[in-house]
mmCIF file of all heavy atoms in Angstrom:
data_model
loop_
_atom_site.group_PDB
_atom_site.id
_atom_site.type_symbol
_atom_site.label_atom_id
_atom_site.label_comp_id
_atom_site.label_asym_id
_atom_site.label_seq_id
_atom_site.Cartn_x
_atom_site.Cartn_y
_atom_site.Cartn_z
ATOM 1 N N LEU E 34 83.528 106.914 108.733
ATOM 2 C CA LEU E 34 84.674 107.380 107.950
ATOM 3 C C LEU E 34 85.715 106.293 107.706
ATOM 4 O O LEU E 34 86.386 106.310 106.684
ATOM 5 C CB LEU E 34 85.350 108.545 108.674
ATOM 6 C CG LEU E 34 84.542 109.841 108.744
ATOM 7 C CD1 LEU E 34 85.264 110.878 109.567
ATOM 8 C CD2 LEU E 34 84.234 110.345 107.355
ATOM 9 N N GLY E 44 92.170 102.266 96.897
ATOM 10 C CA GLY E 44 91.919 102.685 95.514
ATOM 11 C C GLY E 44 93.020 103.577 94.971
ATOM 12 O O GLY E 44 93.275 103.603 93.766
ATOM 13 N N PRO E 54 94.176 90.964 100.900
ATOM 14 C CA PRO E 54 92.734 91.007 101.106
ATOM 15 C C PRO E 54 92.313 90.511 102.503
ATOM 16 O O PRO E 54 91.363 91.041 103.073
ATOM 17 C CB PRO E 54 92.173 90.106 99.997
ATOM 18 C CG PRO E 54 93.252 90.013 99.002
ATOM 19 C CD PRO E 54 94.552 90.190 99.726
ATOM 20 N N TRP E 60 90.749 94.134 109.132
ATOM 21 C CA TRP E 60 90.775 95.541 109.571
ATOM 22 C C TRP E 60 89.381 96.153 109.467
ATOM 23 O O TRP E 60 88.916 96.821 110.388
ATOM 24 C CB TRP E 60 91.803 96.306 108.730
ATOM 25 C CG TRP E 60 91.949 97.725 109.191
ATOM 26 C CD1 TRP E 60 92.646 98.172 110.272
ATOM 27 C CD2 TRP E 60 91.357 98.870 108.592
ATOM 28 N NE1 TRP E 60 92.528 99.559 110.361
ATOM 29 C CE2 TRP E 60 91.749 99.989 109.333
ATOM 30 C CE3 TRP E 60 90.546 99.063 107.475
ATOM 31 C CZ2 TRP E 60 91.343 101.289 109.032
ATOM 32 C CZ3 TRP E 60 90.154 100.358 107.158
ATOM 33 C CH2 TRP E 60 90.558 101.457 107.933
ATOM 34 N N LEU E 61 88.707 95.943 108.323
ATOM 35 C CA LEU E 61 87.356 96.489 108.149
ATOM 36 C C LEU E 61 86.408 95.935 109.209
ATOM 37 O O LEU E 61 85.591 96.660 109.767
ATOM 38 C CB LEU E 61 86.809 96.164 106.757
ATOM 39 C CG LEU E 61 87.330 97.032 105.625
ATOM 40 C CD1 LEU E 61 86.912 96.465 104.291
ATOM 41 C CD2 LEU E 61 86.874 98.449 105.772
ATOM 42 N N MET E 62 86.522 94.625 109.492
ATOM 43 C CA MET E 62 85.613 94.028 110.513
ATOM 44 C C MET E 62 85.882 94.623 111.887
ATOM 45 O O MET E 62 84.959 94.800 112.665
ATOM 46 C CB MET E 62 85.774 92.526 110.503
ATOM 47 C CG MET E 62 85.155 91.896 109.270
ATOM 48 S SD MET E 62 85.368 90.113 109.144
ATOM 49 C CE MET E 62 84.677 89.549 110.678
ATOM 50 N N ARG E 73 60.689 99.233 110.702
ATOM 51 C CA ARG E 73 59.266 98.981 110.860
ATOM 52 C C ARG E 73 58.456 99.839 109.857
ATOM 53 O O ARG E 73 59.002 100.783 109.259
ATOM 54 C CB ARG E 73 58.843 99.271 112.277
ATOM 55 C CG ARG E 73 59.632 98.400 113.252
ATOM 56 C CD ARG E 73 58.796 97.924 114.414
ATOM 57 N NE ARG E 73 59.442 96.820 115.089
ATOM 58 C CZ ARG E 73 60.270 96.962 116.135
ATOM 59 N NH1 ARG E 73 60.554 98.163 116.600
ATOM 60 N NH2 ARG E 73 60.779 95.907 116.712
ATOM 61 N N GLY E 76 58.715 103.486 109.930
ATOM 62 C CA GLY E 76 60.039 104.070 109.675
ATOM 63 C C GLY E 76 60.999 103.954 110.858
ATOM 64 O O GLY E 76 62.178 104.242 110.745
ATOM 65 N N LYS E 97 83.763 98.794 91.883
ATOM 66 C CA LYS E 97 82.725 99.733 91.431
ATOM 67 C C LYS E 97 81.954 99.120 90.282
ATOM 68 O O LYS E 97 82.530 98.491 89.410
ATOM 69 C CB LYS E 97 83.370 101.037 90.980
ATOM 70 C CG LYS E 97 83.812 101.890 92.146
ATOM 71 C CD LYS E 97 84.044 103.314 91.716
ATOM 72 C CE LYS E 97 84.285 104.148 92.950
ATOM 73 N NZ LYS E 97 83.627 105.400 92.909
ATOM 74 N N GLY E 114 74.467 83.408 110.548
ATOM 75 C CA GLY E 114 74.052 84.701 109.971
ATOM 76 C C GLY E 114 73.289 84.504 108.674
ATOM 77 O O GLY E 114 72.297 85.169 108.394
ATOM 78 N N GLU E 116 71.490 81.894 107.786
ATOM 79 C CA GLU E 116 70.156 81.380 108.118
ATOM 80 C C GLU E 116 69.248 82.523 108.576
ATOM 81 O O GLU E 116 68.112 82.616 108.144
ATOM 82 C CB GLU E 116 70.237 80.320 109.214
ATOM 83 C CG GLU E 116 70.870 79.022 108.753
ATOM 84 C CD GLU E 116 71.109 78.055 109.908
ATOM 85 O OE1 GLU E 116 70.533 78.254 110.993
ATOM 86 O OE2 GLU E 116 71.899 77.108 109.687
ATOM 87 N N TYR E 140 73.253 102.533 105.419
ATOM 88 C CA TYR E 140 72.440 102.241 104.235
ATOM 89 C C TYR E 140 71.066 101.714 104.673
ATOM 90 O O TYR E 140 70.968 101.010 105.652
ATOM 91 C CB TYR E 140 73.141 101.202 103.348
ATOM 92 C CG TYR E 140 72.558 101.118 101.969
ATOM 93 C CD1 TYR E 140 72.700 102.147 101.067
ATOM 94 C CD2 TYR E 140 71.887 99.984 101.577
ATOM 95 C CE1 TYR E 140 72.152 102.079 99.778
ATOM 96 C CE2 TYR E 140 71.344 99.900 100.290
ATOM 97 C CZ TYR E 140 71.484 100.936 99.413
ATOM 98 O OH TYR E 140 70.950 100.869 98.149
ATOM 99 N N ALA E 146 64.224 90.557 97.122
ATOM 100 C CA ALA E 146 64.173 89.106 97.042
ATOM 101 C C ALA E 146 64.970 88.538 98.207
ATOM 102 O O ALA E 146 65.856 89.211 98.754
ATOM 103 C CB ALA E 146 64.772 88.630 95.718
ATOM 104 N N PHE E 152 76.500 89.434 99.980
ATOM 105 C CA PHE E 152 75.754 90.533 99.352
ATOM 106 C C PHE E 152 76.568 91.818 99.416
ATOM 107 O O PHE E 152 77.552 91.912 100.118
ATOM 108 C CB PHE E 152 74.392 90.719 100.010
ATOM 109 C CG PHE E 152 74.445 90.810 101.516
ATOM 110 C CD1 PHE E 152 74.555 92.022 102.155
ATOM 111 C CD2 PHE E 152 74.399 89.647 102.283
ATOM 112 C CE1 PHE E 152 74.615 92.106 103.524
ATOM 113 C CE2 PHE E 152 74.461 89.706 103.678
ATOM 114 C CZ PHE E 152 74.576 90.937 104.277
ATOM 115 N N LEU E 158 73.885 107.422 101.599
ATOM 116 C CA LEU E 158 72.447 107.689 101.558
ATOM 117 C C LEU E 158 72.217 109.172 101.653
ATOM 118 O O LEU E 158 73.076 109.898 102.168
ATOM 119 C CB LEU E 158 71.748 107.065 102.800
ATOM 120 C CG LEU E 158 71.346 105.631 102.754
ATOM 121 C CD1 LEU E 158 70.668 105.273 104.035
ATOM 122 C CD2 LEU E 158 70.426 105.342 101.605
ATOM 123 N N THR E 166 72.029 105.563 116.300
ATOM 124 C CA THR E 166 71.315 105.009 117.452
ATOM 125 C C THR E 166 71.717 105.689 118.756
ATOM 126 O O THR E 166 71.225 105.363 119.798
ATOM 127 C CB THR E 166 71.571 103.499 117.579
ATOM 128 O OG1 THR E 166 72.979 103.285 117.681
ATOM 129 C CG2 THR E 166 71.015 102.780 116.378
#
Side-chain angles (χ1 to χ4, degrees):
L34 292 176
W60 184 79
L61 282 170
M62 288 177 56
R73 301 218 164 91
K97 285 196 171 222
E116 289 172 17
Y140 195 68
F152 50 92
L158 274 182
T166 58

